[in-house]
Structures are given as C-alpha cells and as structure tokens.
Amino acid sequence: MPELLLRGGAVHLFDDDRTVADAVLFRGGRVAAVGDAETVEAAATDPRVVDLDGRVVLPGFNDAHTHLLSVGIDRLETDLADADDRAEALSLLRENAATTEPGEWVLGYNFDETTWPDGDGHLDRADLDAVSEDHPVAATRVDGHAAAVNGPALDRVDLDGVERDVKRDDGDPTGVLVEDAAGRVKQATYPRGEKARRALAAATERAHELGVTSVQNMSGLTAPQEFGSPIHAAFFGAWRDGDLGLRVTFYVHSGKAESLSDLEIASGFGDDWLRVGGLKTFSDGSLGARTGKISGTYVDDPDNDGTMVTTESDLRELFRTAARADQQIATHALGDVAIDTVLDCYEAVLDDYRVPDPRLRVEHLELATDAAIDRMAELGIVASMQPNFLQWAGEGGIYETVLGSEARGSNNRFRSVRDADVPLAFGSDTMPLGPLHGIHCAVNAPHSTQRLSVDEAIAAYTRDAAYAEFTEAEKGTLEPGKLADAVVLGADPFAELESIADIDVDLTVVDGEIVHGDPG
C-alpha cells in the first residue's frame, strides 16, 4: 500500500485543539499517523519521504461554492479578467476571432467594467459587432449574471420567454443581456462531450496549482432537456474513467428539482470522489447586473430595486420538493430583501425534513442585516460566502458604485457572521478560484465587520467547508483516518498576514499522492 511521509515542518491538523505536528504519514488514501517525526516515521514501512524544511502543511482547500468547468473554459476560450480597459478586452476578442472559423462562437469571460477607466462601461452590441460580424460573439461579465453579444449572436440565441432580460434602447436590443437571457447564451455556448472533458481537465490542473483538493460545484446552467447537463456528464465521465482528480460535491439546478426528488436521492449519495449535494436555487441576481434584490434602490439606477428571479411562492414549492427527499438546499441570495425572503421560505419547510439537521445554505449573503444573521444562527442555516468579493469592497468598488459609500462596511460581514455562531464556509464563485487570495482578503479586510483571523479564514476553507457539505467526518482536518488531502505552502500564512495572497503552493496532495509541485 503506497505511503507518503511529510516531515520536518509545521503540520496544522485543524482539529478542535488546533494541534501542530512535525510530520504526517499518508497510507492508502488516508491519514495514517501524525505527530512528532520519530513516532510518525516508526509507523511507516516504505514511504516516499518529503522533507518540509520547516514549511507549513494544511488540510487541502475545499472551495464551497464554485463553477469548476468555468475555470477550464476560461483556459480554452478568452479570459478577460486581466483586461485593463475596454480596448484591451476587445483586442483579446479580436485575436480569438482571427483564429476561429467563420460562423463559430467567439467567447470571452470574466470582464469587469468596474475596474476600467471612467467612461469604459459595460460591453454592448456595437463593441462586439466591431470585433466580428462573421462570428457570433459573446462576452460574459465576471459575475455570470450579465453578458454582451453582437448581432449574429442575437440571431443565434433563442430569447423567447426571457425578453424582460434583454436590454433595449428605443426598442432595439443593445446586446446587453442579464439573468435568464444571459443564461440562454451560456446554454447555447457551453462545451459538451470531449471539449467539456478537456475543460474539466484544465480546471482540475488549475485547482491543484492553487491547493484545492475538493470543490462544491453549484449548477448555474439548466440545459435543454434533450441534451442533459454537460457539467454532470463531464463529472460522471471522469469519475467512471478514474480521472476525476478532485473530490466533487455537485448541487443540481432547480430546473431538475422534481426529477431529483422523484428519484428520492438524498444529499450525500455517492462516494469520496463524486457526491450529490442537493438542490441549487436562485432568489435574486447580482449587484453588477443591478438585479440583486435590495431595500431601497440602486444609486446609479434610482428606479430599480433589483429582481427576484424566482418568486417567493415558487421558492417555497422548490424547497418543499427538496425536503421531500431530504435534500440539502443551497440558495443564491445576496440582497437583503432576497435573504429575508429565503429565510422565510426555509423556516416554512424545516419541519418537512426527516433529518434533524438539513444544513440549509444561503449562498453569498453579501448584504445580510443583523436580524437576518441572528435568524440564521437560530435556524442553523449555513452561510456560504466568498471572501474574494472584498476586492470590490473598497473606495470606488462595485458596492460603493451601486449602493453608495455607506455600503463599504456593510457588505460581506464575515466577522458578524462568525460572532453570531453561524456556520461559515468559504468559496470563490471562481472570481477567481484561489483560496489563498480569499483568505488574504478576509484577514486584511478594510472593516472590522468583515475581518477574520488567519485561523478562522483557513478553517472556513477547510474544516468548515466540509461541514457545509456534510463531509466533516471524512475531510477538512488532518486527523488520523481522514482522507489524505493536503497542501504544502511556501511561506507561513500565520506569520505573513499582509502577503498571504503571494504565498506559493509548493505541493498539493490528493488521496495521498502528490498531484502538483516538485517534492525535490
């Protein structure tokens, strides 16, 4: 049985006592021993040995809210995340068009106009028509709730029934699509079959580079019935072939709620590599698209208070359907009105569960009030939040732009959530994937209501993320018997508070095997 011995470092178990050991032994995909080097070495038979030279070892990171294939798609298509302005974004898309067959899609992802110079607003049809009129062109905003398309793309995508989400100027489509209309673009362009598997492989490689060993994948795409889900097909195909490479818990889109419950598949169905998490639902949209449902209105759109993309009555029905099969529910809700509505609906269905602890989740929770946070503590609701969203929380960021300067300290209140004893799990929403970036943001948050200690932030990305998906008995700590997933860092985050985001991931271990880095 293969063994891997890491010795001579600071092995943080993240158990209840926060034990720090000198060495850890992995055998057969599990933690076999942990403690002082002499004791652990004595427990080994013929291990592969890695000398840590004082480096820090943590449990493998678990991204509690991600869209894994999107990470790979970014690598296969045009990633606009680092475009400094509108001109650079369009230039990158033109480069893509130049190497794409006429009539085929030209796709860009992750543009963020809030980081561009004043005057460089949201991309639109005119911009993308200038990229190419021989290709359908689509550029999706970083939050995934808005997209821009050119004329050929408008002709290609079926927008029947979602006309309310098609922005217009004097009746003509501007090429800006939000919410369900943006989702139609994703349906039309999402990779399938072999290309989806290539995207998954690329995403897995990137996750390993960042120390991610587990993901909780949130379905943001409901495919046409005749195709099924290309996301799930890629996961199951890799799982059947033994090529998954990451531990995946996937949450099924609400469009499949009846099908999932009719099968009576409860949360946790699967194995250590691929599990059903439950149901993913949506209540409101996003702040970037001005569709998050808020009290008051948007300062740059004073007639708009956001959108409930699912009505309260429909949410209650979806939740009852999930409760019928004891499925965990993860609901997107970021505006304060949406959060309160979701909590009302959760409270109404809690008695429908046959399990005492369904661990219902609220995803994002960006603008929760004190009353909502206290209510979550009373109901046992999990807060699944994204610390990297703090990149937009400073002066001139999206929160200030759309909500006013008073919003700076009232968003993403991780400290308030922790102090209320609400279970807190961290994910990235792939904006971007990268736990150390998120941990850095939380530890160095600009406001006390947002700021966590290093220990608290790491816990939210390890042991507490495992709790959020009911896997705390199997992973999230480096205690004996747990899964052999770990990350070795090039510097100590407990000592390098102001530069955590710059720390290198030297090694990533999944199932007791080194999947990233050179052990030397």
Side-chain angles (χ1 to χ4, degrees):
M1 191 173 291
E3 296 180 327
L4 176 65
L5 172 62
L6 309 181
R7 68 183 182 191
V11 181
H12 292 259
L13 277 63
F14 268 83
D15 57 353
D16 291 342
D17 297 327
R18 293 303 194 267
T19 305
V20 181
D22 300 321
V24 60
L25 174 67
F26 301 127
R27 179 190 299 126
R30 297 278 174 170
V31 178
V34 62
D36 65 86
E38 183 177 354
T39 301
V40 174
E41 288 178 22
T45 54
D46 184 24
R48 180 182 186 182
V49 179
V50 175
D51 287 315
L52 295 169
D53 296 323
R55 288 176 294 179
V56 166
V57 181
L58 301 175
F61 294 129
N62 184 343
D63 191 315
H65 182 118
T66 194
H67 304 280
L68 186 62
L69 260 68
S70 295
V71 178
I73 293 168
D74 291 348
R75 291 191 155 196
L76 299 181
E77 303 290 352
T78 302
D79 190 353
L80 304 175
D82 294 328
D84 291 330
D85 53 30
R86 175 194 295 265
E88 184 175 0
L90 297 175
S91 176
L92 291 169
L93 290 169
R94 278 192 290 270
E95 291 177 13
N96 184 328
T99 59
T100 301
E101 289 292 323
E104 297 296 318
W105 280 96
V106 171
L107 303 173
Y109 296 91
N110 301 318
F111 78 86
D112 182 4
E113 80 284 357
T114 69
T115 66
W116 295 346
D118 290 343
D120 279 8
H122 200 290
L123 297 175
D124 59 21
R125 176 179 180 172
D127 293 320
L128 301 187
D129 278 342
V131 168
S132 174
E133 293 188 350
D134 296 324
H135 307 82
V137 182
T140 301
R141 197 179 182 279
V142 63
D143 58 12
H145 288 258
V149 296
N150 68 350
L154 284 170
D155 294 336
R156 183 80 63 95
V157 177
D158 178 10
L159 297 173
D160 287 345
V162 295
E163 288 85 359
R164 72 170 187 174
D165 293 334
V166 178
K167 299 298 183 182
R168 298 178 183 273
D169 184 11
D170 292 330
D172 294 326
T174 65
V176 177
L177 311 176
V178 300
E179 300 307 335
D180 288 343
R184 294 287 181 90
V185 175
K186 181 178 284 190
Q187 288 179 4
T189 61
Y190 212 83
R192 303 181 185 280
E194 185 272 336
K195 188 174 182 180
R197 287 290 295 273
R198 285 195 291 120
L200 177 58
T204 300
E205 180 181 19
R206 181 57 178 156
H208 289 163
E209 293 170 357
L210 297 168
V212 176
T213 60
S214 292
V215 296
Q216 298 168 42
N217 197 82
M218 298 291 161
S219 292
L221 172 68
T222 177
Q225 189 66 40
E226 64 269 24
F227 291 121
S229 169
I231 303 169
H232 299 164
F235 286 151
F236 277 103
W239 174 76
R240 284 192 297 267
D241 295 342
D243 293 335
L244 196 51
L246 291 170
R247 306 191 192 277
V248 177
T249 296
F250 68 89
Y251 289 78
V252 177
H253 191 279
S254 58
K256 304 291 185 181
E258 289 283 353
S259 299
L260 184 63
S261 288
D262 286 346
L263 290 172
E264 298 185 5
I265 296 178
S267 295
F269 181 83
D271 62 15
D272 292 336
W273 290 102
L274 187 62
R275 303 170 63 256
V276 175
L279 190 69
K280 168 67 188 303
T281 65
F282 294 84
S283 63
D284 63 347
S286 76
L287 295 179
R290 280 52 167 187
T291 51
K293 188 65 173 177
I294 60 174
S295 55
T297 60
Y298 288 92
V299 297
D300 59 349
D301 189 3
D303 295 326
N304 178 22
D305 63 358
T307 303
M308 289 295 291
V309 299
T310 309
T311 67
E312 182 173 352
S313 61
D314 285 346
L315 284 173
R316 286 177 185 260
E317 186 57 36
L318 285 169
F319 294 171
R320 289 191 192 98
T321 299
R324 192 171 70 221
D326 290 333
Q327 294 156 6
Q328 188 186 30
I329 308 168
T331 304
H332 168 117
L334 58 89
D336 56 327
V337 173
I339 293 165
D340 290 342
T341 301
V342 169
L343 294 181
D344 288 343
C345 297
Y346 276 171
E347 189 166 14
V349 302
L350 277 172
D351 290 339
D352 294 339
Y353 280 89
R354 294 164 294 181
V355 294
D357 179 21
R359 295 187 199 176
L360 307 180
R361 300 168 49 144
V362 177
E363 307 299 313
H364 309 311
L365 203 74
E366 292 170 58
L367 302 177
T369 62
D370 287 340
I373 292 172
D374 290 342
R375 194 174 173 198
M376 290 178 68
E378 293 171 5
L379 297 174
I381 307 298
V382 175
S384 172
M385 303 180 74
Q386 292 68 49
N388 44 302
F389 284 10
L390 289 179
Q391 64 189 298
W392 297 295
E395 184 176 355
I398 189 66
Y399 294 101
E400 181 179 60
T401 299
V402 304
L403 301 173
S405 58
E406 66 275 7
R408 285 190 206 163
S410 61
N411 64 80
N412 300 291
R413 296 191 300 139
F414 313 123
R415 174 82 275 143
S416 301
V417 169
R418 282 282 307 183
D419 287 349
D421 292 327
V422 174
L424 174 63
F426 273 171
S428 69
D429 205 13
T430 63
M431 291 194 271
L433 187 72
L436 288 171
H437 172 67
I439 291 166
H440 176 96
C441 289
V443 170
N444 297 282
H447 296 279
S448 60
T449 56
Q450 302 162 327
R451 197 174 306 127
L452 297 181
S453 69
V454 175
D455 179 275
E456 290 168 329
I458 292 175
Y461 249 122
T462 53
R463 58 178 287 152
D464 299 337
Y467 175 87
E469 61 169 352
F470 292 99
T471 60
E472 69 273 18
E474 291 292 306
K475 58 186 175 183
T477 71
L478 290 176
E479 297 172 279
K482 294 287 186 74
L483 293 169
D485 302 339
V487 58
V488 179
L489 303 182
D492 184 355
F494 296 93
E496 306 287 343
L497 273 65
E498 296 181 357
S499 56
I500 294 173
D502 299 324
I503 293 176
D504 291 329
V505 172
D506 284 357
L507 298 174
T508 301
V509 177
V510 177
D511 206 42
E513 296 185 3
I514 296 172
V515 295
H516 164 73
D518 182 2

